[in-house]
Amino acid sequence: MDISGIKMYQFNPHGDDRGQLIALEGMISVPFDIKRVYYMYDTAFGARRGRHAHKNLQQILICVSGSCKVLLDDGTKKIIVNLNRPDEGLYIANNVWREMYDFSSGTVLMVLASDIYDESDYIRDYNEFLAFVKRGNE
Ligand code: TYD
């Protein structure tokens, strides 16, 4: 994808006549050790989530049910990705601003994270994010 720190992963379903099953293993199907999993559901109509970047955390977003859009911004370029497949994972490296929106009703957005929750790893102010990325590139 034409933005740094972003990659779409295609997961292999184990399908048979009973249906589909996807297994995800740290350092095998995703490029980091999975230390935390969380998921968003019952998202309010029109809600916008995320609106932050991480200094160190890596994540993979999987829309296990339903659909949503993700705006990604590396401080230079912005792209919008549609997530609507349970067999696709959107990898987001650190230093990428993300906003999730346009959740369809019933959407479950699951996130695999490379570390436990740490509020000090968040950058929640967009101008601070731009300054942080600029400093890193100097
Ligand atoms: P928040 O960071 O606002 O979610 P978003 O991903 O949309 O930016 O998180 C909502 C609340 O949940 C907030 O009080 C922090 C808490 N939280 C945890 O306790 N652990 C976690 O792993 C996450 C992601 C959030």
Side-chain angles (χ1 to χ4, degrees), residues 1-113:
M1 282 199 218
D2 194 23
I3 177 171
S4 55
I6 300 299
K7 187 177 167 185
M8 194 62 96
Y9 280 79
Q10 188 70 47
F11 304 127
N12 270 340
H14 302 275
D16 59 30
D17 55 9
R18 297 168 299 172
Q20 304 294 335
L21 184 155
I22 289 177
L24 301 174
E25 295 169 302
M27 301 303 293
I28 299 174
S29 25
V30 306
F32 52 80
D33 256 333
I34 301 165
K35 294 242 183 84
R36 176 170 50 118
V37 177
Y38 62 94
Y39 41 95
M40 297 164 207
Y41 62 100
D42 274 357
T43 305
F45 179 75
R48 211 165 172 100
R49 300 215 60 133
R51 301 177 61 90
H52 62 252
H54 287 282
K55 295 175 191 162
N56 291 301
L57 192 74
Q58 303 171 72
Q59 295 186 311
I60 292 213
L61 275 55
I62 305 164
C63 211
V64 290
S65 182
S67 64
C68 71
K69 292 194 174 80
V70 189
L71 168 76
L72 300 153
D73 178 345
D74 65 4
T76 308
K77 286 187 202 141
K78 294 181 193 194
I79 58 165
I80 293 169
V81 174
N82 287 303
L83 285 185
N84 52 18
R85 296 181 59 100
D87 61 352
E88 272 182 3
L90 174 65
Y91 171 80
I92 309 179
N94 59 329
N95 296 340
V96 178
W97 185 266
R98 85 289 312 270
E99 302 187 11
M100 293 84 85
Y101 60 102
D102 271 6
F103 286 79
S104 64
S105 167
T107 291
V108 181
L109 180 63
M110 183 170 77
V111 182
L112 315 177

